[in-house]
């Protein structure tokens, strides 16, 4: 306050208010994540695939120091964002913590789906040679956090076999099935692995001599292909 008295005795008072800054202030005047105001302890929900956010943290005292940890390299699930404000006089420090919750992906697509090195897709039919009992399946999910289960790639039999690939998204709930028919050709093998008459190996065109009193013989036949069938005729009711 300044008071001035004129020569004639008149007086005038001049008042000025001086604001002394709070040098111990560690508060924030602005705190936003992706343009939305947040406060200490808040949770911010983010879309699946989000890897970073825009953070604005302005201290109430322009000369206070602000340090930000988090907000980048985000992973699915909870991520910590910590803003630390240190007052101008360094006597007061305050942390503001926000949870950045990135939604788990629902992506169940396949980046790679191959059978024996050839690209396939859901609903395809793969023709395989006779005798094929297994195939090499490559199934890689687009989302590295998804899980892939393959069934039906082995113990194949002649005819149609179902290959199933099940992808479970990172959220653990969303699933998708991919089916491919593995069609194994039926064998054309008509050879015999075993052909015996009365315990003696024989071949097509052979002659087997038996006694005059023999009316039947024991024939043992085993096909090379276990799925082949055979019929034996002429081994009963033999005549001299």
């Amino acid at each position: 306050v300044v008071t001035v008295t004129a020569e004639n005795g008149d007086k005038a008072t001049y008042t000025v208010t001086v604001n002394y800054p709070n040098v111990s202030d560690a508060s924030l005047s602005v705190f936003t994540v992706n343009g939305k105001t947040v406060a200490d302890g808040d949770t911010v929900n983010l879309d699946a695939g989000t890897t970073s956010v825009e953070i604005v943290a302005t201290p109430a005292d322009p000369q206070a120091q602000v340090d930000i940890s988090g907000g980048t390299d985000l992973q699915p699930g909870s991520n910590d964002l910590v803003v630390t404000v240190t007052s101008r006089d360094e006597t007061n420090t305050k942390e503001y913590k926000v949870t950045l919750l990135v939604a788990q992906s629902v992506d169940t697509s396949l980046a790679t789906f191959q059978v024996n090195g050839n690209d396939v897709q859901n609903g395809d039919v793969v023709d395989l040679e006779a005798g094929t009992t297994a195939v090499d399946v490559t199934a890689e999910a687009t989302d590295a956090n998804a899980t892939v289960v393959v069934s039906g790639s082995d113990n194949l039999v002649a005819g149609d076999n179902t290959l199933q690939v099940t992808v479970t998204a990172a959220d653990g709930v969303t699933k998708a099935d991919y089916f491919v028919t593995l069609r194994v050709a039926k064998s054309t093998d008509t050879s015999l692995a075993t052909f015996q008459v009365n315990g003696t190996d024989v071949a097509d065109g052979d002659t087997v001599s038996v006694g005059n009193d023999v009316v039947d013989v024991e024939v043992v036949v085993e096909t090379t292909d276990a799925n082949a069938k055979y019929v034996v005729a002429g081994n009963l009711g033999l005549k001299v």
Side-chain angles (χ1 to χ4, degrees):
V1 177
V2 176
T3 302
V4 179
T5 304
E7 185 178 7
N8 64 356
D10 292 341
K11 292 183 179 182
T13 301
Y14 300 86
T15 303
V16 174
T17 301
V18 178
N19 289 324
Y20 187 77
N22 181 1
V23 294
S24 298
D25 189 355
S27 64
L28 288 173
S29 60
V30 177
F31 188 13
T32 64
V33 173
N34 286 347
K36 296 182 179 180
T37 299
V38 293
D40 181 40
D42 281 355
T43 296
V44 177
N45 294 311
L46 301 168
D47 292 338
T50 300
T51 57
S52 64
V53 292
E54 181 182 358
I55 302 163
V56 176
T58 304
D61 178 2
Q63 296 187 41
Q65 179 180 338
V66 176
D67 294 310
I68 299 175
S69 174
T72 59
D73 297 324
L74 304 181
Q75 301 298 318
S78 295
N79 301 263
D80 291 332
L81 167 64
V82 180
V83 175
T84 303
V85 182
T86 302
S87 62
R88 184 191 309 190
D89 64 359
E90 299 184 351
T91 63
N92 191 17
T93 300
K94 184 173 181 180
E95 286 188 344
Y96 300 80
K97 296 181 180 180
V98 171
T99 299
L100 304 177
L101 187 60
V102 180
Q104 297 284 354
S105 173
V106 295
D107 187 355
T108 57
S109 65
L110 288 173
T112 303
F113 189 14
Q114 295 181 331
V115 173
N116 287 345
N118 298 312
D119 291 335
V120 294
Q121 58 185 0
N122 186 41
D124 278 357
V125 176
V126 177
D127 292 318
L128 301 168
E129 294 181 355
T132 301
T133 58
V135 292
D136 181 22
V137 178
T138 301
E140 297 177 354
T142 303
D143 179 8
N145 294 311
T147 58
V148 178
V149 176
V150 177
S151 61
S153 62
D154 54 8
N155 297 320
L156 305 181
V157 297
D160 288 350
N161 304 262
T162 300
L163 168 68
Q164 179 176 348
V165 174
T166 300
V167 180
T168 302
D171 67 353
V173 176
T174 308
K175 295 184 178 183
D177 291 316
Y178 298 81
F179 296 96
V180 169
T181 299
L182 304 176
R183 183 166 293 164
V184 180
K186 293 185 177 180
S187 174
T188 59
D189 188 355
T190 57
S191 65
L192 293 176
T194 301
F195 188 11
Q196 294 181 337
V197 175
N198 286 346
T200 302
D201 292 333
V202 294
D204 183 37
D206 283 357
T207 298
V208 178
S209 298
V210 296
N212 292 336
D213 58 343
V214 174
V215 296
D216 58 48
V217 292
E218 179 185 5
V219 179
V220 176
V221 174
E222 293 180 359
T223 58
T224 304
D225 177 9
N227 294 314
K229 298 179 180 180
Y230 64 88
V231 175
V232 177
N235 61 319
L236 301 176
L238 303 180
K239 297 179 180 181
V240 178

